[in-house]
Amino acid sequence: GAVVSQHPSWVICKSGTSVKIECRSLDFQATTMFWYRQFPKQSLMLMATSNEGSKATYEQGVEKDKFLINHASLTLSTLTVTSAHPEDSSFYICSARVGGGKPQHFGDGTRLSIL
Amino acid sequence: QQQVKQSPQSLIVQKGGISIINCAYENTAFDYFPWYQQFPGKGPALLIAIRPDVSEKKEGRFTISFNKSAKQFSLHIMDSQPGDSATYFCAADNQTGANNLFFGTGTRLTVIP
């Protein structure tokens, strides 16, 4: 149980394009979803927290206009990297939890490479 | 500011040996301490977790030891196997409050045959 699916697993695109990453909770309803960014050999950095039907809460230093997050349903959240540039290349990971006081379950991540 | 400090950064253990990874925290509001295992190119997977009302939790070969007064907790992997080679992250959460995970910096474990 508690499976989180992320799609795509790997995407390569040209500088200036926008990329959308999907995060789905397959067997539970997630009231809260989280988006993380991970650089090679580093820890996970929380980018934003989203609650279903509400605007996302972004961590300090994360550009909300660049990283658009939508959490339209209890099983789907999307992260759109707008006008992506090479410095946005990273491993993006989402997580989801059923509710407060419950553990986070992680997706398998999306490797984003901007050329 | 690193909320959770983790050591060592890397660890090499012989097959059958014990792997020990240590973490420390400052915020006494943390009330949930999970460990995650991450393989290259994959997301972190919840391995085992503990709450501060117990000093030890064991699941198979994995044990968490928790010292509330010292604000430290550790992961012990008994009879380490090559398949355990991965990066391990400790984390801390205030589940009655903000409920955000704070991760340690990670430990890359290599178990040699």
Side-chain angles (χ1 to χ4, degrees), chain B residues 6-12 20-23 88 105-108:
Chain B
Q6 183 172 347
S7 64
Q9 190 173 12
S10 62
L11 182 62
I12 300 174
I20 302 174
I21 305 171
N22 301 298
C23 286
Y88 292 81
T105 49
T107 297
R108 178 169 287 196

Short mmCIF file of all heavy atoms in Angstrom, two decimals, chain B residues 6-12 20-23 88 105-108:
data_model
loop_
_atom_site.label_atom_id
_atom_site.label_comp_id
_atom_site.label_asym_id
_atom_site.label_seq_id
_atom_site.Cartn_x
_atom_site.Cartn_y
_atom_site.Cartn_z
N GLN B 6 23.76 14.45 10.39
CA GLN B 6 23.94 13.02 10.15
C GLN B 6 25.39 12.71 9.90
O GLN B 6 26.11 13.46 9.23
CB GLN B 6 23.09 12.59 8.93
CG GLN B 6 23.13 11.12 8.61
CD GLN B 6 22.14 10.73 7.53
OE1 GLN B 6 21.25 11.50 7.16
NE2 GLN B 6 22.29 9.53 7.00
N SER B 7 25.83 11.57 10.43
CA SER B 7 27.21 11.11 10.20
C SER B 7 27.25 9.59 10.25
O SER B 7 26.40 8.96 10.89
CB SER B 7 28.14 11.71 11.27
OG SER B 7 27.79 11.22 12.56
N PRO B 8 28.22 8.96 9.58
CA PRO B 8 29.22 9.58 8.71
C PRO B 8 28.64 9.89 7.34
O PRO B 8 27.52 9.50 7.03
CB PRO B 8 30.29 8.49 8.61
CG PRO B 8 29.50 7.22 8.68
CD PRO B 8 28.38 7.49 9.63
N GLN B 9 29.38 10.55 6.52
CA GLN B 9 28.96 10.88 5.16
C GLN B 9 29.00 9.62 4.29
O GLN B 9 28.15 9.44 3.42
CB GLN B 9 29.88 11.95 4.59
CG GLN B 9 29.43 12.55 3.30
CD GLN B 9 30.30 13.72 2.88
OE1 GLN B 9 31.38 13.94 3.45
NE2 GLN B 9 29.88 14.48 1.90
N SER B 10 29.99 8.78 4.54
CA SER B 10 30.07 7.51 3.82
C SER B 10 30.58 6.44 4.77
O SER B 10 31.26 6.72 5.76
CB SER B 10 30.98 7.65 2.59
OG SER B 10 32.29 7.97 2.99
N LEU B 11 30.24 5.21 4.42
CA LEU B 11 30.53 4.08 5.31
C LEU B 11 30.77 2.84 4.47
O LEU B 11 29.97 2.54 3.57
CB LEU B 11 29.35 3.87 6.26
CG LEU B 11 29.42 2.78 7.32
CD1 LEU B 11 30.56 3.04 8.28
CD2 LEU B 11 28.09 2.73 8.08
N ILE B 12 31.86 2.16 4.75
CA ILE B 12 32.15 0.90 4.06
C ILE B 12 32.19 -0.20 5.11
O ILE B 12 32.92 -0.09 6.10
CB ILE B 12 33.48 0.96 3.30
CG1 ILE B 12 33.43 2.07 2.23
CG2 ILE B 12 33.79 -0.39 2.64
CD1 ILE B 12 34.75 2.29 1.52
N ILE B 20 26.41 1.30 11.27
CA ILE B 20 25.82 2.22 12.25
C ILE B 20 25.87 3.64 11.69
O ILE B 20 26.93 4.13 11.30
CB ILE B 20 26.56 2.17 13.59
CG1 ILE B 20 26.54 0.75 14.17
CG2 ILE B 20 25.92 3.16 14.59
CD1 ILE B 20 27.36 0.58 15.42
N ILE B 21 24.72 4.28 11.66
CA ILE B 21 24.61 5.66 11.18
C ILE B 21 23.96 6.49 12.28
O ILE B 21 22.98 6.05 12.89
CB ILE B 21 23.76 5.73 9.90
CG1 ILE B 21 24.33 4.79 8.82
CG2 ILE B 21 23.71 7.17 9.37
CD1 ILE B 21 23.44 4.63 7.62
N ASN B 22 24.53 7.64 12.53
CA ASN B 22 24.08 8.47 13.64
C ASN B 22 23.46 9.78 13.20
O ASN B 22 23.89 10.38 12.22
CB ASN B 22 25.27 8.78 14.55
CG ASN B 22 25.91 7.52 15.10
OD1 ASN B 22 25.28 6.75 15.81
ND2 ASN B 22 27.17 7.30 14.75
N CYS B 23 22.47 10.22 13.96
CA CYS B 23 21.83 11.51 13.69
C CYS B 23 21.57 12.25 14.99
O CYS B 23 21.39 11.62 16.05
CB CYS B 23 20.54 11.32 12.92
SG CYS B 23 20.82 10.90 11.19
N TYR B 88 21.39 6.32 2.91
CA TYR B 88 20.42 6.33 4.00
C TYR B 88 20.27 7.75 4.54
O TYR B 88 21.25 8.44 4.79
CB TYR B 88 20.86 5.38 5.11
CG TYR B 88 20.82 3.94 4.68
CD1 TYR B 88 21.85 3.39 3.93
CD2 TYR B 88 19.72 3.14 4.97
CE1 TYR B 88 21.80 2.08 3.48
CE2 TYR B 88 19.67 1.82 4.54
CZ TYR B 88 20.71 1.30 3.80
OH TYR B 88 20.64 0.01 3.36
N THR B 105 21.84 14.83 6.02
CA THR B 105 22.61 15.01 4.79
C THR B 105 22.87 13.71 4.05
O THR B 105 23.34 13.73 2.93
CB THR B 105 23.95 15.68 5.09
OG1 THR B 105 24.57 15.00 6.19
CG2 THR B 105 23.74 17.15 5.46
N GLY B 106 22.55 12.58 4.65
CA GLY B 106 22.69 11.30 3.98
C GLY B 106 23.99 10.58 4.28
O GLY B 106 25.02 11.22 4.53
N THR B 107 23.94 9.26 4.26
CA THR B 107 25.13 8.40 4.42
C THR B 107 25.13 7.38 3.30
O THR B 107 24.17 6.63 3.13
CB THR B 107 25.10 7.66 5.77
OG1 THR B 107 25.15 8.62 6.83
CG2 THR B 107 26.27 6.69 5.88
N ARG B 108 26.21 7.40 2.54
CA ARG B 108 26.34 6.41 1.46
C ARG B 108 27.00 5.16 2.03
O ARG B 108 28.17 5.18 2.41
CB ARG B 108 27.16 6.99 0.32
CG ARG B 108 27.37 6.01 -0.82
CD ARG B 108 27.95 6.70 -2.01
NE ARG B 108 26.98 7.53 -2.68
CZ ARG B 108 27.11 8.02 -3.91
NH1 ARG B 108 28.19 7.75 -4.58
NH2 ARG B 108 26.19 8.78 -4.45
#
